[in-house]
Amino acid sequence: MNISAKTVSFDEHTMWVELSDGRTLGIPLAWFPRLLHASAEERKQCRISYSGKGLHWDDLDEDISVEGLIAGRGDMAQHHGRVA
């Protein structure tokens, strides 16, 4: 896949990722709890990888792949089962 991230921005509930193919993805922050609970300033600290294929936040220890976003995958580290 040759699609890469060009820019990343946020509003109150959504992460917006502009892609090299002209699309813009709107991803609910609820998919990524670390981003959901981060401050606006912490979210702004996103670093797009040199290849444009990954998004990284050092202080939040968050890494997100563009491929995963396009596929509709959220935080794969989440626990999806219920705890009794």
Side-chain angles (χ1 to χ4, degrees), residues 1 44 78:
M1 174 172 44
K44 286 182 190 177
Q78 291 186 149

Side-chain angles (χ1 to χ4, degrees), residues 4-52:
S4 58
K6 291 174 58 179
T7 65
V8 178
S9 60
F10 296 88
D11 65 25
E12 188 177 346
H13 302 287
T14 308
M15 173 172 60
W16 299 97
V17 181
E18 181 185 356
L19 301 176
S20 60
D21 67 357
R23 289 182 287 172
T24 300
L25 302 178
I27 298 96
L29 290 177
W31 285 15
F32 297 97
R34 288 183 191 122
L35 295 178
L36 178 66
H37 299 294
S39 69
E41 191 58 39
E42 288 172 319
R43 290 180 194 144
K44 286 182 190 177
Q45 301 306 314
C46 177
R47 181 173 46 87
I48 299 173
S49 68
Y50 180 75
S51 67

Side-chain angles (χ1 to χ4, degrees), residues 78-83:
Q78 291 186 149
H79 299 282
H80 295 286
R82 289 208 274 167
V83 176

Side-chain angles (χ1 to χ4, degrees), residues 3 33 50 53 55 62 68:
I3 301 167
Y50 180 75
K53 307 246 186 252
L55 310 176
E62 182 71 87

Side-chain angles (χ1 to χ4, degrees), residues 2 23 54 58 63-64 74 84:
N2 292 323
R23 289 182 287 172
D58 287 324
D63 293 290
I64 299 173

